[in-house]
Amino acid sequence: MNRSRLLAPPLKFLVAVNLALLVSSAFAQTPEEELARKVDQLADELAKVKAQLKEMQEQRAAPAPAAVAPAAVPATTAAAPVSAPESVASERPTEPATVLFSYGEINYNHPTKHTEDTNFDMRRFVLGFQHRFDEINKVVTELEVEHGVTSADDPGEVEVEQAYVEHVLNPRWSAQGGLFLIPSGLLNEKHEPTAYYGVERNFVETAIIPTTWREGGLQIVGKFDNGLTLQTGVSTGFDLNKWNATSTEGAESPLGSIHQELALAKGHDLSVFGALNWRGVPGLQLGGSVFTGGGTQGQDGVPDSRITLWELHARWTPGRWDLAAEYARGTISNTAELNAPLVGNPTLIPESFDGWYAQAAYKLWMHQDYVLTPFVRWEQYNTARSFADLGPGLTPAGAETERVITAGANFQVTPGIVLKADVQRFRVNEDANRFDLGLGWSF
């Protein structure tokens, strides 16, 4: 507190008291010499008071001494570390240091030809948090529970979906290390139920791209002023030793059946990846990605193989429209040698697999937070497009390409809550035709 403010009231009071005493004394003693003596005394007192006031005014005008920096800054404070880049440190975060987030969905699936398989499912519940240590360091984690109940006798599963640390190098570049989502397609990195149309995720980005697909490793992210985002890194990869030729899992999703999810993941063969996305025009996104690496993890007696997945995608949102398209293709090398000991089993390792889709959605009705968006999606995918030659009578024929049309609507109750309904029709496996309902949320 300013010292002059503390001293000013007592000084004023003292001056007033002295004046009163002197005046009263002067009137009480009538001799002129006594009155003159009191006046001189009063003048001396006033001079002292003026000197003290002048000293306090000079102290107030003087600059305050520099504050001594604390020895250490707690992790929960918003103060920038000394090493923070100047342009980054000048941008103080407006969000709390720790932020909780969550998403989930409850689905209803009604097969039209096999109604006895109708079911309700707590498809997934995800809870995560982001903690920002300072302006350039944060940690992000997600924990997911699928199908409501997890035990040895139940279909549920608990998994860590993300757990990585991010460090901002400068305003353009940042680095992430840990378990993160691979930048592939339109859905894998942004897969909350409020982010896509339809009750179920599309087949191209689940059967060909194994969404939700995450790996452990290190990646660098660059964001440029022209709207370009570059992501590249090194990570764990797939393990072909997990292929089960007696199961249909590989036929449903070749890569989904052999991904490791950083669960005691074999690390002999690492993978590299890269992704480019351009958003230089408002409402337009153009991009693509590639992921490649060894797939046999150096196991004795198993021939080497390389697994590669690449894709191209586009999204455009002019006005009320939301238009999207994507193509993805995967290959596995040296499958003739890998399949030789598996001949006779129902599910051999495919040499190639691919798929594409095109989708259109339109915001038909909006009122306050309510938004009704009908959509239609056409997709084709083949999880076993071709097989390597095993010799006459041994090489399987490529699978028939499945074609699916999905039509329905998303109804936004408020940003973060959505109701969904759709109908799906399959051209090859007509037994899979169904009607779906869904409730989803994200915050």
Side-chain angles (χ1 to χ4, degrees), residues 180-185 188-189 213-215 231 235-236 273 291:
F180 50 77
L181 301 174
I182 295 299
S184 180
N188 195 58
E189 289 188 293
W213 174 21
R214 63 265 189 194
E215 300 287 352
Q231 295 171 261
S235 73
T236 54
F273 63 89
F291 182 99

Side-chain angles (χ1 to χ4, degrees), residues 62-76:
V68 179
V73 180
T76 55

Side-chain angles (χ1 to χ4, degrees), residues 110-261:
H110 176 74
T112 56
K113 292 194 175 183
H114 295 278
T115 57
E116 69 276 11
D117 294 330
T118 298
N119 69 81
F120 289 87
D121 187 29
M122 178 74 238
R123 187 59 48 87
R124 55 183 52 88
F125 172 77
V126 177
L127 184 63
F129 73 85
Q130 169 186 294
H131 176 75
R132 186 176 293 279
F133 298 96
D134 49 48
E135 286 83 353
I136 62 173
N137 295 290
K138 70 177 181 180
V139 61
V140 178
T141 66
E142 278 188 35
L143 187 66
E144 177 172 341
V145 179
E146 295 184 351
H147 307 299
V149 180
T150 300
S151 73
D153 301 322
D154 294 295
E157 182 179 6
V158 177
E159 55 197 20
V160 178
E161 192 160 281
Q162 296 187 79
Y164 68 87
V165 171
E166 179 178 284
H167 176 74
V168 177
L169 302 171
N170 57 45
R172 178 165 293 172
W173 293 97
S174 63
Q176 295 178 0
L179 178 67
F180 50 77
L181 301 174
I182 295 299
S184 180
L186 291 169
L187 190 61
N188 195 58
E189 289 188 293
K190 192 172 179 59
H191 50 263
E192 299 81 5
T194 53
Y196 60 88
Y197 297 103
V199 177
E200 305 293 345
R201 298 168 179 176
N202 70 76
F203 290 101
V204 174
E205 295 188 273
T206 52
I208 307 302
I209 300 174
T211 303
T212 305
W213 174 21
R214 63 265 189 194
E215 300 287 352
L218 174 69
Q219 74 165 321
I220 304 296
V221 181
K223 297 182 179 180
F224 300 87
D225 295 338
N226 61 359
L228 186 67
T229 299
L230 167 65
Q231 295 171 261
T232 185
V234 59
S235 73
T236 54
F238 299 101
D239 181 12
L240 278 166
N241 300 286
K242 297 175 62 177
W243 188 273
N244 185 353
T246 65
S247 166
T248 61
E249 186 179 3
E252 295 169 359
S253 175
L255 298 184
S257 67
I258 59 173
H259 64 168
Q260 301 193 77
E261 303 177 295

